[in-house]
């Protein structure tokens, strides 16, 4: 599933209709997808050092992403 569709599905889930186990599973899916997106962002920034060097906001973002424990995720929706 493309990231955009998964993001839309996760964001638009009616959590008020979920029971405890379903809510925990949903929150885990949101966390894993966020980590996947952040890992992708980190890879893009690390792959573009010349662009990052010219933009202080990108440098700050790269520094921030490097502090996160993004763990190993197998992909979107995993």
């Amino acid at each position: 599933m493309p990231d955009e569709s998964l993001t839309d599905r996760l964001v638009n889930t009616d959590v008020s209709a979920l029971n405890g186990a379903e809510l925990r599973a949903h929150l885990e899916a949101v966390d894993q997808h966020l980590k996947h997106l952040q890992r992708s962002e980190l890879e893009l920034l690390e792959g573009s050092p010349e662009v990052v060097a010219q933009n202080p906001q990108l440098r700050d973002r790269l520094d921030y992403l490097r502090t996160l424990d993004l763990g190993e995720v197998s992909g979107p929706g995993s």
Side-chain angles (χ1 to χ4, degrees):
M1 179 180 291
D3 285 344
E4 184 176 318
S5 297
L6 179 56
T7 300
D8 287 343
R9 183 179 61 80
L10 291 171
V11 167
N12 293 316
T13 297
D14 180 8
V15 295
S16 67
L18 302 179
N19 66 34
E22 292 169 332
L23 182 57
R24 283 187 294 279
H26 176 73
L27 292 175
E28 179 64 26
V30 169
D31 184 57
Q32 291 300 309
H33 186 57
L34 177 60
K35 287 180 180 182
H36 170 75
L37 293 173
Q38 289 172 323
R39 285 171 54 94
S40 296
E41 183 182 10
L42 177 62
E43 290 171 8
L44 286 170
L45 291 173
E46 286 180 335
S48 305
E50 63 285 342
V51 174
V52 172
Q54 297 173 12
N55 187 315
Q57 290 174 319
L58 291 178
R59 277 195 308 268
D60 292 344
R61 183 65 180 169
L62 179 58
D63 290 343
Y64 168 72
L65 289 169
R66 286 177 171 160
T67 67
L68 300 178
D69 178 11
L70 299 177
E72 290 296 321
V73 293
S74 59
S78 55

